[in-house]
Amino acid sequence: LLSSIPVSRRLLPYVVQYISVAVENLVDEAKKFAALCMKYVLKSAVSSPRRELPTDKEILALLLGETMDIRIKNIDKKILVQHVDSFTLVRDLETAVFQALKIADVNRPIFGLFELRGGKPINVGTTDRVVDILSAWAANTRNITDAILSGDHGLETGNSFIVDEHVIPRFIFRVKFFFPVEDLHDTVTLDLLYAQAWHDCLTAHYPHTLQDALVLSAFQLQILNGDFIVGKEIKEFRSSSSIKALCVAPW
């Protein structure tokens, strides 16, 4: 309750005094829990009210005084694991990702954290609490589960159901703007820009002609397999299962 609803300014001194007495007089687990309540009430006093109800996972983390692990998909398909609590804002999580990837400060405006819903990236407010977004996802997942059980959604396999991963929301860290790179020694930024451009071309989100698609696919093939050698068989490329992943779709 203290982590979700800020105590009014008029009532705050009394609540703080009450918890302070509890911290002094209680022992063992009760004393530890009172200290956690003090931490939450002070943080809540300078935070915005919650927009969503806490999930069971968040409530358990609050009771234990622990953080929660959150998985973030990178544009290059890598998974980043970061720690958040009930007060972590989206901008705090973005900063943690920047630091984890070692992206130069001058290049950080290029990137942003998005929700991936229905296979589409959706911008999130930097001042939103991360847990509010997770709570909204949990509610959505329950709706999906209810739909599956009622036979309205999902693929039945034997006695189990498989939900299309595109309907399961998640965080994705990707390029927000294609600005000129200020620090060319920032290889992480260059790699992510390349991965984003490759993805946008491959999925036809970036306009290009059929000729552009052929040239880009050829460049990608050269990067992965080296220069063409006269007399070398190319049937191995034609039969490769990865060849389809190189063929970008024309706009």
Side-chain angles (χ1 to χ4, degrees):
L1 180 65
L2 292 172
S3 71
S4 300
I5 303 174
V7 178
S8 68
R9 290 188 178 184
R10 181 179 178 182
L11 191 60
L12 183 60
Y14 300 98
V15 175
V16 170
Q17 174 64 19
Y18 177 79
I19 299 176
S20 297
V21 172
V23 172
E24 292 176 1
N25 298 332
L26 296 175
V27 295
D28 301 329
E29 289 300 313
K31 184 182 184 74
K32 177 183 176 182
F33 189 74
L36 284 175
C37 287
M38 178 66 82
K39 173 184 174 182
Y40 298 147
V41 75
L42 293 177
K43 279 192 171 184
S44 184
V46 294
S47 302
S48 58
R50 291 291 299 270
R51 292 188 291 104
E52 304 284 344
L53 295 174
T55 61
D56 292 343
K57 182 178 180 180
E58 182 191 345
I59 292 173
L60 179 60
L62 284 165
L63 293 174
L64 298 176
E66 297 177 349
T67 59
M68 296 174 287
D69 289 344
I70 185 169
R71 294 165 63 86
I72 302 170
K73 185 178 180 181
N74 211 346
I75 190 60
D76 59 0
K77 299 183 179 180
K78 295 178 182 177
I79 301 296
L80 301 171
V81 179
Q82 296 293 325
H83 307 298
V84 301
D85 61 23
S86 296
F87 303 94
T88 303
L89 303 180
V90 170
R91 65 187 176 203
D92 301 326
L93 186 56
E94 279 187 341
T95 300
V97 173
F98 289 142
Q99 294 172 345
L101 294 177
K102 298 180 179 179
I103 294 175
D105 291 349
V106 293
N107 291 331
R108 291 183 179 184
I110 294 175
F111 303 99
L113 203 61
F114 293 79
E115 289 183 63
L116 193 62
R117 281 189 289 168
K120 297 180 180 179
I122 300 173
N123 220 336
V124 291
T126 56
T127 57
D128 289 346
R129 288 203 207 186
V130 173
V131 287
D132 275 335
I133 298 174
L134 298 179
S135 294
W137 290 354
N140 183 58
T141 301
R142 284 194 294 271
N143 293 336
I144 293 172
T145 302
D146 292 341
I148 290 174
L149 294 176
S150 65
D152 294 334
H153 188 86
L155 302 174
E156 187 172 3
T157 306
N159 294 323
S160 62
F161 289 93
I162 299 175
V163 181
D164 185 350
E165 65 173 4
H166 284 90
V167 304
I168 303 298
R170 67 195 71 187
F171 280 118
I172 182 170
F173 183 76
R174 53 167 286 154
V175 175
K176 187 188 301 183
F177 305 109
F178 277 93
F179 289 145
V181 178
E182 296 291 340
D183 184 354
L184 294 177
H185 297 290
D186 184 357
T187 57
V188 175
T189 290
L190 296 175
D191 289 344
L192 289 175
L193 285 171
Y194 169 79
Q196 185 71 62
W198 177 85
H199 176 270
D200 288 348
C201 287
L202 191 69
T203 55
H205 284 94
Y206 189 85
H208 52 273
T209 65
L210 177 59
Q211 183 61 32
D212 291 334
L214 293 172
V215 172
L216 290 171
S217 297
F219 277 135
Q220 182 73 354
L221 192 63
Q222 183 184 27
I223 290 170
L224 295 178
N225 298 281
D227 295 338
F228 171 73
I229 300 176
V230 177
K232 182 180 179 180
E233 290 288 338
I234 62 172
K235 62 182 180 181
E236 59 189 87
F237 297 140
R238 294 176 180 173
S239 60
S240 172
S241 60
S242 64
I243 190 67
K244 291 183 180 179
L246 304 176
C247 297
V248 296
W251 182 259

